[in-house]
C-alpha cells in the first residue's frame, strides 16, 4: 500500500511541476501519468516481494545467510523491474487512450 500511495503522490507532484512552466493542464496526460505510476508501483512491489520471499526461502534451504543474498538482488532487480514495468504500462495505456491524450 505504501508503494502505491507514494507512486500516486509522485505522479501528482510530476503533474504539478509539468503544469507550472507551461501554464496549461491536460487532463489526459495527468490521468495517464497517475494510472501508469500507481499500476507500476503496485505490480513492482508485488513482484519484488514474491521474488524476495523465494530468494530467502531458497537461501535458507541451501544454508546461506539471506542477508548476504537478498540485498544485492533487491537492489539490482528493483530498478530493472520498475523501469521495465513503467515503460510497458505507460506505452500500453498511451496506445489504448489513442488521441484522447
Amino acid at each position: 500500500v505504501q508503494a502505491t500511495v507514494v507512486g500516486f503522490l509522485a505522479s501528482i507532484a510530476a503533474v504539478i511541476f509539468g503544469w507550472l512552466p507551461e501554464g496549461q493542464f491536460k487532463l489526459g496526460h495527468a490521468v495517464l501519468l497517475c494510472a501508469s505510476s500507481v499500476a507500476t508501483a503496485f505490480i513492482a512491489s508485488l513482484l519484488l516481494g514474491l521474488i524476495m520471499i523465494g530468494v530467502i526461502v531458497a537461501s535458507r534451504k541451501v544454508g546461506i545467510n539471506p542477508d548476504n543474498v537478498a540485498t544485492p538482488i533487491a537492489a539490482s532487480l528493483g530498478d530493472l523491474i520498475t523501469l521495465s514495468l513503467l515503460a510497458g504500462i505507460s506505452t500500453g495505456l498511451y496506445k489504448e487512450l489513442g488521441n484522447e491524450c
Side-chain angles (χ1 to χ4, degrees):
V1 173
Q2 181 182 5
T4 306
V5 171
V6 170
F8 178 71
L9 293 176
S11 65
I12 294 296
V15 167
I16 291 171
F17 288 137
W19 169 61
L20 288 177
E22 294 177 8
Q24 57 182 337
F25 178 76
K26 296 181 181 178
L27 183 63
H29 290 172
V31 169
L32 176 68
L33 182 64
C34 290
S36 61
S37 175
V38 168
T40 299
F42 174 74
I43 295 170
S45 63
L46 179 68
L47 283 176
L48 287 171
L50 292 174
I51 289 171
M52 288 299 103
I53 289 170
V55 166
I56 290 170
V57 168
S59 63
R60 290 252 183 201
K61 285 188 178 188
V62 175
I64 301 173
N65 186 1
D67 292 337
N68 296 335
V69 178
T71 305
I73 291 175
S76 61
L77 284 181
D79 293 338
L80 180 68
I81 289 176
T82 303
L83 290 175
S84 301
L85 281 172
L86 182 61
I89 290 172
S90 60
T91 301
L93 286 175
Y94 183 75
K95 288 180 181 177
E96 193 65 35
L97 289 175
N99 293 331
E100 295 176 19
C101 279

